[in-house]
Amino acid sequence: QVQLVESGGGLVQAGDSLKLSCAASGRPFSNYAMGWFRQAPGKEREFVAVVSGASSGASTYYADSVKGRFTISRDVTLNMVYLQMDSLKPEDTAVYYCAAKRSLRPAQALDVSDDYDYWGRGTQVTVSS
């Protein structure tokens, strides 16, 4: 059974940093695209970042709103995915979700939440001004 568990959320001030982690279990994830999405109150879930599977070169792709501030990475041996978030802004406040999809697509083609097969329960990130 596939399971994704996020951790690392919290309450921080604008300009601070946080590192989210996603632990994947249930099968090897080396050829899975691993993405981060977020959902703020009253808003739809939106794409944040993705790292493609090993067969696709483990490429990365970011939403324009986080480009240059967030960094996604993965540790294939540990089945872990990380989201380093720097220079946080109040508008980054949301529940952040980890998602997985077995795919050979490049990262740029993996920014649609409906395409993902597995989801974690999310971790809350709150950025105060």
Side-chain angles (χ1 to χ4, degrees):
Q1 183 177 357
V2 174
Q3 189 174 21
L4 303 176
V5 180
E6 303 94 337
S7 62
L11 171 62
V12 298
Q13 293 186 331
D16 286 350
S17 297
L18 272 178
K19 186 174 184 178
L20 305 184
S21 299
C22 173
S25 61
R27 63 188 59 186
F29 280 86
S30 61
N31 284 320
Y32 277 70
M34 302 297 295
W36 286 97
F37 292 79
R38 67 186 181 186
Q39 187 166 19
K43 295 188 177 182
E44 293 187 354
R45 188 174 297 183
E46 65 173 0
F47 166 76
V48 175
V50 61
V51 55
S52 67
S55 297
S56 305
S59 58
T60 59
Y61 182 62
Y62 298 91
D64 288 343
S65 59
V66 307
K67 200 173 297 181
R69 299 188 298 120
F70 290 12
T71 303
I72 189 170
S73 61
R74 67 189 301 169
D75 187 325
V76 176
T77 59
L78 296 178
N79 271 354
M80 295 290 296
V81 180
Y82 307 99
L83 186 68
Q84 176 68 44
M85 305 186 295
D86 299 320
S87 303
L88 282 161
K89 304 176 181 180
E91 51 263 43
D92 295 318
T93 295
V95 177
Y96 283 71
Y97 298 91
C98 177
K101 173 180 174 55
R102 182 173 176 83
S103 177
L104 299 178
R105 298 181 197 170
Q108 294 90 330
L110 294 164
D111 61 350
V112 178
S113 62
D114 288 348
D115 287 344
Y116 284 76
D117 301 312
Y118 305 103
W119 291 86
R121 292 189 174 185
T123 184
Q124 176 70 47
V125 172
T126 303
V127 185
S128 64
S129 57

